Amino acid sequence: MDTQLKKGLLEVCVLAALTEEESYGYKIIADISPYIEISESTLYPILKRLESTSMVTTRTKEFNGRLRKYYLITNKGRRKVQDFTADLDEFNRVYQFICGRANK
């Protein structure tokens, strides 16, 4: 998959993983991995970027004697997911066009 396309999809996937509840890195990877490949070295820069653009906030909580960083989606992050789903119809039309032309 094209790296730029995948990068954009991964950002929305991370935000979507946070829509129901706050989460932490390992769980986010576990939630997303069945759908698209993601590693820790890919996830954490995305989370940092989402935090710097105010799409997620963080808090630290002790878990089993260690500090764990939790990520929570903001209203701005929710709007990004909503915008993505709204754009999906257009994306599907483009996909059908490309597939229709490629298969002739």
Side-chain angles (χ1 to χ4, degrees), residues 46-59:
I46 290 171
L47 287 168
K48 192 78 160 162
R49 189 168 46 253
L50 291 172
E51 185 178 9
S52 72
T53 57
S54 302
M55 291 194 207
V56 299
T57 59
T58 62
R59 74 179 181 94

Side-chain angles (χ1 to χ4, degrees), residues 11-30:
E11 280 191 6
V12 177
C13 286
V14 170
L15 290 169
L18 298 171
T19 56
E20 293 181 10
E21 64 183 355
E22 68 180 3
S23 193
Y24 54 95
Y26 181 78
K27 181 154 182 352
I28 294 169
I29 290 172

Side-chain angles (χ1 to χ4, degrees), residues 23-39:
S23 193
Y24 54 95
Y26 181 78
K27 181 154 182 352
I28 294 169
I29 290 172
D31 290 344
I32 295 172
S33 289
Y35 306 100
I36 190 168
E37 184 180 329
I38 187 168
S39 65

